[in-house]
Amino acid sequence: DGGITQSPKYLFRKEGQNVTLSCEQNLNHDAMYWYRQDPGQGLRLIYYSQIVNDFQKGDIAEGYSVSREKKESFPLTVTSAQKNPTAFYLCASSFSHTTDTQYFGPGTRLTVL
Amino acid sequence: QKEVEQNSGPLSVPEGAIASLNCTYSDRGSQSFFWYRQYSGKSPELIMFIYSNGDKEDGRFTAQLNKASQYVSLLIRDSQPSDSATYLCAVQSNTNAGKSTFGDGTTLTVKP
């Protein structure tokens, strides 16, 4: 059963804590992405990776970090430097980084307490 | 000016009517255009993609692209209450390292 999974579905963070969001895909896609969505707004790109062991900053990378040690996995860490992290986080993947359809995971809703 | 702009909405149509969703973009190097549907609290799912000028039809959905006018639209014929969702336009350009840029979305409500 192919697809993209994200965990957890809901995450609560205290001020000053780092948290890591998981994203796994078994679609054999080379490219993976992290987006942030705030209420009533579109998706904003945080980081993307075109291939294993390589990743690039998106439009709003400050306060976030990623790794791509395996093709299947692209975890996102929300650090304490991210001042307003409450949002809906979406992971996506595609066969390649150029002119290709992106498929989305179910998302993680992060709330700062 | 935003890179990708959509009707601010919300858009309300009666069941069975045609819903028209519009999107304009600023990067003339854009090559790929996508429409996603997003139900409240869920992740986006792909409805259609279009690369060439003209119309592309898939069931009740038709995407229209006019690169000269930098305009892409989505028509939904015979609208159903289950079509009620937010529709996101995404534009991908090789001049922007292949990154996709999303509009803020248009919320559609189909009234029975």
Side-chain angles (χ1 to χ4, degrees):
Chain A
D1 192 19
I4 305 174
T5 58
Q6 290 184 243
S7 62
K9 187 174 181 179
Y10 299 97
L11 184 58
F12 298 92
R13 192 194 92 168
K14 293 181 180 180
E15 295 276 356
Q17 274 186 337
N18 291 356
V19 291
T20 298
L21 283 57
S22 169
C23 178
E24 304 275 334
Q25 55 97 1
N26 61 4
L27 300 169
N28 199 33
H29 286 173
D30 282 324
M32 297 186 75
Y33 312 81
W34 274 106
Y35 293 92
R36 168 181 173 142
Q37 187 176 36
D38 293 283
Q41 296 188 29
L43 280 60
R44 292 185 290 167
L45 183 64
I46 304 173
Y47 269 98
Y48 65 100
S49 168
Q50 300 181 54
I51 198 167
V52 175
N53 293 322
D54 181 66
F55 49 84
Q56 309 293 330
K57 291 183 179 180
D59 301 318
I60 56 165
E62 185 175 351
Y64 301 96
S65 66
V66 293
S67 63
R68 185 86 188 276
E69 298 176 1
K70 297 186 301 181
K71 186 175 186 177
E72 302 79 16
S73 179
F74 191 40
L76 173 74
T77 297
V78 184
T79 74
S80 57
Q82 171 49 239
K83 297 306 178 187
N84 185 21
T86 295
F88 189 40
Y89 289 87
L90 289 157
C91 179
S93 70
S94 63
F95 276 112
S96 70
H97 184 52
T98 56
T99 62
D100 222 335
T101 302
Q102 295 183 24
Y103 297 90
F104 286 86
T108 292
R109 195 166 298 277
L110 173 63
T111 302
V112 173
L113 302 175
Chain B
Q1 181 190 6
K2 290 186 177 180
E3 293 181 51
V4 178
E5 296 206 46
Q6 297 185 239
N7 302 40
S8 57
L11 176 65
S12 180
V13 300
E15 184 174 356
I18 295 175
S20 177
L21 304 164
N22 303 317
C23 175
T24 58
Y25 59 95
S26 59
D27 183 355
R28 284 197 170 273
S30 299
Q31 296 184 318
S32 306
F33 306 86
F34 305 86
W35 282 100
Y36 290 87
R37 177 176 62 201
Q38 185 176 26
Y39 292 113
S40 181
K42 302 296 185 182
S43 61
E45 53 180 329
L46 180 73
I47 299 235
M48 292 191 70
F49 60 86
I50 186 167
Y51 301 145
S52 303
N53 276 329
D55 294 359
K56 180 180 179 182
E57 188 174 317
D58 183 1
R60 296 186 296 112
F61 299 95
T62 299
Q64 299 175 318
L65 174 62
N66 184 325
K67 289 187 178 180
S69 300
Q70 295 175 248
Y71 175 94
V72 56
S73 66
L74 179 70
L75 300 178
I76 306 174
R77 291 182 300 281
D78 188 24
S79 295
Q80 301 297 308
S82 58
D83 295 326
S84 298
T86 296
Y87 290 80
L88 299 170
C89 171
V91 176
Q92 192 172 40
S93 171
N94 286 341
T95 62
N96 190 22
K99 292 186 293 183
S100 290
T101 302
F102 285 78
D104 287 344
T106 299
T107 298
L108 170 67
T109 300
V110 180
K111 295 186 175 180

